[in-house]
Amino acid sequence: MDGASLNRSGGLKVLAASVAVTSVLGNSYAYSVYVTPLASLWGSTFWASLPFSILIATFAFSSIIGGRLYARKGNIRVPALLSMVLTGGGLLLSSLVEAVSTPLWLATTYGVVVGLGNGMGYVPIVALARKWYPDKAGFATGVVILGYGGSALAFAPLKALLIELMGVGLTFAAVGLISFTIGVPAAMVVRDPPQELVNYFSRFAKKRAVIPKRDYKPGEALKTPDFWLLWASFMLTAGPGLMLIGHMANLAALNNIPSPPLAVSIFSVMNALGRPPAGWVSDKLGRFGRPLTMTAFFTAQGLVFYALSTPLASIPWLFFFMVAALGFFYGSGLALFPAATGDFFGLKHLSENYSLIFIGWGLSGLLFPSLGSYIVDSTGGYELALLISSILSVAGGLVNLYLKKRLALYLQ
């Protein structure tokens, strides 16, 4: 079958529906607006932020299940619909938080159920984009994950407004209904491309500059030291960003910054916008562009976290500037680590290998927001948490200098 007889016009419709699905999943990034009212309800920032930490960990571990479910069923609508049902249903159950009034309820309904919804849908939807556009994988996956990262731009101010108007419980219910309304129809639209189309356009993907010698199965990748170095780098560099996401509004309030939800939205915008440029820069730098970009970006991230721990963070415009920079660096990691995984271990098993690397992201989401909560409850501020984030960001970035040397062993 030649290119003229193939019609990929349906790919744009699928991409648009995929962005709708990831946008529903990404509303969980706007969790920090819940922290202040929940901390008032329970008298603890730690318990108020724990559901977000559990969500991140559940998301990461269940992404392995979502990827395997997609591979086994061979139909994207199965994990996509399951993802939307779990996400919307978990939010509706979370709306009982004031009636039940125990942190464990929200930890289960939001942390576990909504986290499962994220895990069921995220990896399959990203893999679907690569199937439709194997020759433009960076563009397609960048568009899809931009929806996830940018979702909080709309949801953060919406949630803040709804909390003010009707309280935190009914806000969970409203967001759950919105998720159903947007997500279920979108999940019914997404579909897999014909295999002939995948085969035809895949041949153009082979023209990329970074070509691994062979494809590693997950069991093989796990046996290499470089897998674990990538895993550790992801954990050390994503964790500080996840802590900031979980505490953004509260951090802004403690620094007397006006309109804390605005900080959440700014981070969300830059989180989304940071992904395509990071991939573009790493491509332009050539065969070793990925580790070089990661070293530079994450070292800079550490410096900005240090600045955020100083009195400069009490100046509103500087605070928003630093939040924007950190959003950019955090978002860049979500684009660079999947690409780096493919550089080392090939594309054939990328979804499975990346889902294992992604566990590092999930563990960091479990540990870092909780650490931030413990520190703020103990000290009354975030300075120590931000200093720790600064040190670990730099350490995670410098790991990639060594990975640059190791990458030469994997490339043709």
Side-chain angles (χ1 to χ4, degrees):
M1 181 175 290
D2 60 24
S5 61
L6 292 172
N7 183 1
R8 198 162 58 172
S9 61
L12 292 176
K13 181 179 180 181
V14 171
L15 275 185
S18 298
V19 170
V21 170
T22 56
S23 296
V24 168
L25 298 177
N27 88 75
S28 57
Y29 264 23
Y31 181 83
S32 67
V33 297
Y34 295 125
V35 171
T36 299
L38 290 174
S40 299
L41 179 64
W42 295 325
S44 168
T45 305
F46 173 82
W47 286 112
S49 63
L50 181 63
F52 179 73
S53 297
I54 293 175
L55 178 140
I56 295 299
T58 305
F59 174 12
F61 282 99
S62 62
S63 68
I64 299 175
I65 302 173
R68 289 182 177 176
L69 178 64
Y70 180 29
R72 179 177 299 179
K73 296 295 183 181
N75 185 345
I76 186 61
R77 290 180 183 173
V78 175
L81 279 171
L82 180 59
S83 172
M84 295 299 94
V85 170
L86 286 169
T87 300
L91 287 166
L92 290 178
L93 290 172
S94 297
S95 68
L96 301 175
V97 61
E98 291 171 310
V100 179
S101 193
T102 170
L104 295 179
W105 175 258
L106 198 61
T108 301
T109 58
Y110 191 89
V112 176
V113 180
V114 178
L116 282 170
N118 275 255
M120 290 297 104
Y122 182 79
V123 169
I125 287 293
V126 171
L128 177 71
R130 292 184 67 91
K131 284 186 177 181
W132 274 98
Y133 293 91
D135 54 321
K136 301 176 182 178
F139 159 75
T141 57
V143 168
V144 170
I145 62 177
L146 186 147
Y148 191 95
S151 175
L153 172 64
F155 276 101
L158 174 62
K159 290 178 181 179
L161 176 62
L162 292 176
I163 289 172
E164 184 177 347
L165 292 176
M166 56 189 186
V168 68
L170 288 177
T171 298
F172 277 117
V175 176
L177 291 174
I178 293 171
S179 298
F180 273 124
T181 302
I182 297 174
V184 172
M188 294 297 295
V189 170
V190 295
R191 61 185 176 88
D192 294 276
Q195 189 58 45
E196 294 85 354
L197 183 147
V198 178
N199 294 339
Y200 177 79
F201 287 102
S202 289
R203 71 182 190 179
F204 295 104
K206 296 179 182 179
K207 295 181 180 180
R208 67 194 190 98
V210 184
I211 305 176
K213 291 179 180 177
R214 69 182 184 91
D215 294 296
Y216 285 72
K217 295 180 180 179
E220 294 175 314
L222 285 169
K223 294 177 182 178
T224 67
D226 308 295
F227 173 92
W228 295 105
L229 288 172
L230 270 177
W231 187 92
S233 178
F234 203 2
M235 183 175 183
L236 293 175
T237 57
L242 288 166
M243 184 198 72
L244 194 60
I245 290 170
H247 292 270
M248 183 80 70
N250 201 40
L251 174 64
L254 287 178
N255 281 318
N256 296 313
I257 301 299
S259 186
L262 177 60
V264 181
S265 296
I266 290 174
F267 186 97
S268 175
V269 170
M270 296 308 295
N271 174 16
L273 295 181
R275 302 178 185 202
W280 181 83
V281 168
S282 68
D283 286 337
K284 289 295 182 180
L285 290 177
R287 285 162 61 84
F288 302 103
R290 227 80 68 189
L292 287 173
T293 305
M294 292 157 84
T295 301
F297 281 17
F298 300 139
T299 300
Q301 173 179 295
L303 296 177
V304 178
F305 265 112
Y306 174 76
L308 196 60
S309 71
T310 70
L312 292 174
S314 63
I315 303 173
W317 74 267
L318 275 178
F319 180 88
F320 289 126
F321 176 80
M322 288 186 279
V323 164
L326 291 172
F328 178 89
F329 293 133
Y330 172 77
S332 73
L334 288 220
L336 291 169
F337 278 101
T341 304
D343 293 344
F344 277 89
F345 307 116
L347 298 181
K348 185 175 181 180
H349 305 287
L350 177 58
S351 60
E352 293 173 281
N353 288 330
Y354 180 59
S355 69
L356 294 172
I357 293 285
F358 200 58
I359 291 177
W361 178 87
L363 287 178
S364 70
L366 180 63
L367 295 174
F368 278 78
S370 298
L371 175 64
S373 300
Y374 175 79
I375 290 174
V376 75
D377 284 343
S378 301
T379 67
Y382 286 98
E383 289 79 10
L384 179 58
L386 294 170
L387 284 173
I388 293 172
S389 296
S390 173
I391 294 169
L392 296 182
S393 294
V394 173
L398 292 178
V399 166
N400 292 283
L401 281 181
Y402 179 70
L403 283 171
K404 174 182 175 292
K405 295 182 180 180
R406 295 287 301 176
L407 182 57
L409 301 175
Y410 291 82
L411 300 182
Q412 293 182 10

